[in-house]
Amino acid sequence: MKITCISVAPIFVNRVIGGSQKILIEVMQGLSKKGHRVQILATHNGTEHSEFKCKDIVIKPILKFRGAFPSTHQVPPYDLVNNRESLHENTVDSDVVFLHGDSLFIRPDFHNAKIIRSLHDYVYEESLLSSLLLPADITVVPSKYLKKTVETTVVMSNLRDLEDIVVIPNGVSGYLGPKTRRIPSRLENRNNDDLVILFPHRTDRNKGFTEAVNICNKLQEKICNKTVRLFIPFYTNDKERDQSSYGYSELQQIINDLDTNNVVELHNWLNIDEVHRYLSLGDVVINPGPFIESFGLIPLESVLAGTPAVCSRVGALRDLEGIPGLYHVDYGDIDGFVEKIIEAINVDQSTLDDGKDHVETVYSIQSMIDGYDEVMKGSYDTTKKMILD
């Protein structure tokens, strides 16, 4: 089966920005190993101008979107028309067209190929409009929370018929790559009295950067025998940053305003194969923002790495309650975060081991790939469609 995947977000040779792009590469690589012919049509990223390979998957960066995540559609209308022509030409012999994070407004007919889409981060205008106005044969979502949200939104809008919506949880991987210079030396060679808090998120304004700083300030007041250190990876190329994300100067201003230069350490963005080692070096990973996550990849990756995680009780993060080593706090409850962090750093090893076993069993990469393979071949289990009486 030939599968053409369309990614409005750019794909890079040596780095991944955002959890959904990491999942995309893992899924497409897995489908390729199962014998499918796979190619990805992606947004021109300003660096790679011609076809290249990423983990043996052919990437064609031919689409003309803005490329800054997540506001991809701030482009001239003639570029949208050119995109349509490029899509038509490059999907001629495709059996399936997979719309990753569907936000493709102007679609060709795709030569009657089956249209399967995935939805992530169901807060952006592009994804909302696509799900409300444009049909697909099957829609894939990563959580029960998002399935209910999409079903309810589409049915109550009464704008179109609802297709099958299939839940395939994201796979969580844990690869201990070699030591590299990208992981801060202060983290790898930490002092015994350091209490290391990790905030491994892109600097979207809703991911909780300010909350993380405030939490660490209050945590330091509670813990006198430790030096609280907040590590934050930061991607410094402003050309690939959308206005929804903080710039470096803005982050520095917040750090100065809150008088936390001695607490916060900004460092280089991590390569995908460095994340597991990075997470394993922390004492706690925090996810304190109000961003409505559709899954919750970072907390699960943290538990898999043997590091407890504390996150806001928002969106699909609520679906993860009950996992050993993963703690929840109502958004905005700074004192609650501090209390849970103190509880997390004192958790026993058997609890962390139970959490790791749970993640490995329930959220395996292979289960995710098998789920997508079934959807591509049409052999998935159907569920009763929601109908508004």
Side-chain angles (χ1 to χ4, degrees):
M1 178 180 294
K2 181 169 184 181
I3 301 169
T4 296
C5 172
I6 298 172
S7 174
V8 173
I11 295 175
F12 303 93
V13 176
N14 296 317
R15 64 185 184 276
V16 174
I17 301 176
S20 68
Q21 293 303 92
K22 175 184 176 183
I23 293 299
L24 169 63
I25 297 302
E26 289 174 335
V27 168
M28 291 299 113
Q29 184 183 28
L31 292 176
S32 177
K33 289 181 178 179
K34 282 182 171 288
H36 299 290
R37 292 177 295 142
V38 178
Q39 67 172 353
I40 300 179
L41 311 181
T43 291
H44 173 61
N45 59 38
T47 304
E48 286 79 27
H49 297 274
S50 57
E51 178 180 309
F52 65 95
K53 284 192 174 184
C54 178
K55 296 185 181 292
D56 297 324
I57 304 299
V58 173
I59 313 293
K60 297 181 179 180
I62 61 175
L63 302 181
K64 297 179 179 179
F65 291 100
R66 178 183 175 192
F69 183 83
S71 297
T72 52
H73 285 75
Q74 297 174 13
V75 294
Y78 61 83
D79 275 338
L80 294 177
V81 174
N82 289 336
N83 285 335
R84 187 179 188 278
E85 294 175 355
S86 296
L87 293 170
H88 183 81
E89 293 171 1
N90 284 273
T91 55
V92 172
D93 57 348
S94 299
D95 300 298
V96 172
V97 171
F98 176 60
L99 306 176
H100 174 67
D102 183 18
S103 52
L104 193 65
F105 293 165
I106 301 180
R107 295 183 188 171
D109 61 10
F110 293 129
H111 314 280
N112 296 316
K114 181 189 294 184
I115 298 176
I116 299 174
R117 66 170 159 212
S118 64
L119 292 173
H120 310 270
D121 294 340
Y122 200 58
V123 295
Y124 300 123
E125 179 182 358
E126 290 92 334
S127 294
L128 288 166
L129 286 176
S130 295
S131 71
L132 287 171
L133 302 177
L134 298 173
D137 293 293
I138 305 168
T139 292
V140 176
V141 295
S143 64
K144 293 179 181 178
Y145 158 81
L146 191 55
K147 174 181 170 67
K148 293 176 182 178
T149 301
V150 175
E151 287 177 336
T152 303
T153 304
V154 173
V155 170
M156 291 188 69
S157 73
N158 199 30
L159 291 172
R160 66 174 185 84
D161 293 333
L162 185 66
E163 69 278 5
D164 285 335
I165 299 181
V166 181
V167 177
I168 302 177
N170 291 334
V172 180
S173 57
Y175 169 67
L176 271 177
K179 294 183 179 181
T180 69
R181 287 178 294 178
R182 282 184 173 270
I183 295 180
S185 58
R186 176 67 188 272
L187 180 56
E188 286 206 295
N189 304 307
R190 55 181 293 181
N191 295 324
N192 290 332
D193 62 350
D194 281 345
L195 177 59
V196 173
I197 310 298
L198 302 180
F199 179 83
H201 312 284
R202 55 184 171 81
T203 52
D204 186 292
R205 297 176 191 275
N206 289 316
K207 288 286 187 175
F209 170 77
T210 301
E211 290 88 342
V213 175
N214 286 327
I215 288 166
C216 287
N217 278 343
K218 185 152 285 191
L219 180 63
Q220 185 65 84
E221 295 174 3
K222 288 260 188 176
I223 299 180
C224 300
N225 62 335
K226 292 282 187 179
T227 300
V228 176
R229 302 291 299 167
L230 175 61
F231 286 83
I232 302 175
F234 184 73
Y235 187 62
T236 57
N237 190 341
D238 280 350
K239 291 182 179 180
E240 296 167 8
R241 178 181 64 83
D242 184 78
Q243 291 180 353
S244 67
S245 297
Y246 289 113
Y248 181 76
S249 60
E250 293 176 290
L251 292 178
Q252 286 292 354
Q253 187 62 54
I254 294 172
I255 292 169
N256 291 336
D257 290 346
L258 296 175
D259 192 25
T260 52
N261 284 287
N262 60 330
V263 174
V264 179
E265 182 165 331
L266 298 177
H267 58 85
N268 288 331
W269 192 258
L270 302 168
N271 291 329
I272 190 171
D273 58 355
E274 297 168 317
V275 173
H276 188 73
R277 177 181 293 279
Y278 178 79
L279 295 175
S280 71
L281 295 172
D283 291 306
V284 179
V285 170
I286 59 174
N287 203 129
F291 191 88
I292 308 299
E293 301 284 359
S294 65
F295 180 63
L297 192 61
I298 286 295
L300 291 174
E301 288 182 324
S302 176
V303 171
L304 185 62
T307 302
V310 184
C311 56
S312 293
R313 192 177 281 110
V314 295
L317 293 176
R318 292 173 296 187
D319 291 349
L320 305 181
E321 294 206 49
I323 295 176
L326 207 163
Y327 302 85
H328 289 76
V329 181
D330 290 339
Y331 168 69
D333 184 357
I334 301 299
D335 291 329
F337 258 92
V338 170
E339 290 174 6
K340 286 299 180 184
I341 289 173
I342 294 173
E343 182 180 343
I345 62 177
N346 292 302
V347 69
D348 58 274
Q349 186 60 47
S350 63
T351 298
L352 295 177
D353 291 341
D354 289 344
K356 180 179 179 181
D357 291 343
H358 179 89
V359 174
E360 287 178 334
T361 302
V362 179
Y363 300 100
S364 73
I365 295 291
Q366 192 57 53
S367 293
M368 175 182 68
I369 293 169
D370 290 344
Y372 274 92
D373 184 46
E374 291 174 358
V375 166
M376 297 295 169
K377 295 187 296 188
S379 58
Y380 62 95
D381 292 331
T382 60
T383 57
K384 184 178 180 180
K385 295 181 181 179
M386 179 181 288
I387 300 175
L388 185 64
D389 292 329

